Amino acid sequence: MSDWRARASRAGKWPLRPSGHPRGGDPDPAPERSMDPWNDTEPPREPLERSLVDAAVYRGGRRLDVPADLAEIYARLPGEPGTMAWIGLYRPSPEQLGQAAERFGLHELALEDAIVAHQRPKLERYGTTLFVVLRSARYLDETEEVDFGEIHIFVGPEFVLTVRHSQAPDLGAVRKRLENDRDLLALGPEAVLYAILDAVVDGYAPVVAGLQNDIDEIESEVFGGDPNVSRRIYALSREVVDFQRATRPLLTIMRGLEAGFAKYGTSEELQRYLRDVADHATTVAERVDGFRQMLGDILTVNATLVTQAQNEEMKALAEAGHAQNNEIKKISSWAAILFAPTLIGTVYGMNFDHMPELHWTLGYPFAVALMALVCVSLYVVFKHRDWL
């Protein structure tokens, strides 16, 4: 068993029979599950022969008769100039990828990545074969989430092999577009790579529009004082970060392709197409970078507005407390003023034989004058202290 098969087996992607051979010739192998979290809800993979989505041999931009299986495709590749095979696989088994690896001479490291999946976007060259990993994206507006797909592309002098572990992206439209543009398809395998890159990058536009729309809504909610907007900002920021991880490496991929134009003899027409994709990818990456910065600024502004609102509430509470204290002071002052004559009147109103000034002619005026004096004194004191 080769090294890449051994590693795939240890990774749990290729169960072995006691004989040491994969699957032991089972006609319907167990479903191959990707490590990608977005595949958790997908139905199990169809039997081995159904993982072949589409396959064809092209010569001079024209599709030849549809082969019955991969073995016939391999036989249709005589190595004549202008002849290439385009094979599309959906969640294939390691056995099926192993057959393609032996026929096209795929490097074991790239093959291991294609089997395990869950790779970052990248471009690697193994001799005359390009290995490209791309991540497609679509925006789910209902949940404000970015749903990602992953595609692995092997590009050789006479073949293109695409491996998908998720339902997106659907390459049927890409194949149809190229088959309707024979001049472009006649440019060879790199034209197929360009078309896939173009489709993936064009698929980013609705995601950018969806994110922009949600950011605009968040700005309105922030200045509208929505108390739940912080959670939405944080959740959308995570989606933007994930989207950035899918789009930012595209710039490196496009630079790598451009660096090989002269060395690998890429036609001028195809160079123009690829540079156009690079421009679109740069625009998307810059927009996504701006989204991340914008959300960070919005979160800061929201925190500032929340702090200001809290300060206003504290100020209002302090003012209310101050006004309440003033009212309490007034009530307490008048209570004290009224308590003094009540106390004097109570003392002079007691029925005791031995009471001061009981038979004094000036007793009543004296008591009244004493009450007035105490009340005026207390009023002057409280007024001086701003209690009244």
Side-chain angles (χ1 to χ4, degrees), residues 303-315:
T304 302
L305 292 177
V306 169
T307 302
Q308 289 179 349
Q310 292 175 345
N311 290 340
E312 290 295 330
E313 291 179 1
M314 294 299 296
K315 181 180 179 181

Side-chain angles (χ1 to χ4, degrees), residues 250-266:
L250 266 177
L251 304 182
T252 304
I253 291 175
M254 301 310 300
R255 284 194 294 267
L257 289 174
E258 187 173 355
F261 283 168
K263 182 177 180 180
Y264 296 97
T266 304

Side-chain angles (χ1 to χ4, degrees), residues 321-337 382 385-388:
H322 180 69
Q324 187 177 15
N325 289 337
N326 288 336
E327 294 298 326
I328 292 175
K329 289 178 181 178
K330 291 180 180 180
I331 294 173
S332 301
S333 300
W334 285 112
I337 292 173
F382 292 145
R385 296 184 178 182
D386 275 339
W387 284 29
L388 291 174

Side-chain angles (χ1 to χ4, degrees), residues 84 155 174 178 183-196 270:
M84 73 167 183
V155 182
V174 177
L178 284 175
D183 292 336
L184 178 59
L185 186 57
L187 296 177
E190 283 193 329
V192 178
L193 176 60
Y194 150 73
I196 296 174
L270 196 53

Side-chain angles (χ1 to χ4, degrees), residues 215 218-219 222 233 293-303:
I215 290 175
I218 284 176
E219 286 181 332
V222 165
I233 295 173
Q293 180 65 40
M294 190 181 302
L295 285 170
D297 294 341
I298 291 175
L299 191 61
T300 301
V301 170
N302 183 63

